Amino acid sequence: MSDNHHWQKVNDIFKQKKAFKPPAYPWQELALQVIEELNIPNFKKNAVFKVCKDYPKSFIERCLNDTKELCQTGKKWQYFFKLVNKENKK
């Protein structure tokens, strides 16, 4: 492989690399964590951002941990929202 061809491949990699914009607020980072850990579907991602913005971090982390512990099968994201709603009513 020629050096020129090698450098073209390296340049292609850099061109394909997407710029990652870090979250502006801590609650956004928490929301991204919840989305990743619970495999939140696209149509519910906005709801995760809303609850992470509206409620304390400790509350969201408790609901996330309880979900991971108590819901071993099924749609964990549904259980997460049930916990958020149940805890919120207390």
Side-chain angles (χ1 to χ4, degrees):
M1 185 183 310
S2 70
D3 283 340
N4 189 28
H5 184 67
H6 175 71
W7 286 111
Q8 285 176 337
K9 286 189 173 192
V10 171
N11 286 337
D12 290 342
I13 292 171
F14 285 117
K15 286 178 186 175
Q16 292 174 358
K17 189 175 180 180
K18 295 180 182 178
F20 178 74
K21 186 177 177 183
Y25 300 99
W27 59 265
Q28 290 174 327
E29 191 169 335
L30 178 60
L32 292 172
Q33 177 188 350
V34 171
I35 288 167
E36 181 181 329
E37 290 188 30
L38 299 181
N39 297 319
I40 304 289
N42 287 335
F43 71 94
K44 279 294 184 182
K45 288 181 181 179
N46 285 338
V48 174
F49 281 100
K50 178 158 178 38
V51 297
C52 288
K53 182 179 179 182
D54 292 347
Y55 297 104
K57 181 179 179 179
S58 60
F59 171 74
I60 298 299
E61 287 176 336
R62 186 172 67 243
C63 290
L64 175 61
N65 290 333
D66 287 351
T67 298
K68 291 190 298 187
E69 182 180 326
L70 299 172
C71 185
Q72 299 298 319
T73 61
K75 297 179 181 177
K76 293 181 180 183
W77 62 270
Q78 288 178 332
Y79 194 82
F80 172 77
F81 284 112
K82 284 181 183 180
L83 286 178
V84 170
N85 287 330
K86 181 180 176 184
E87 293 290 324
N88 184 38
K89 291 178 181 177
K90 286 184 178 179

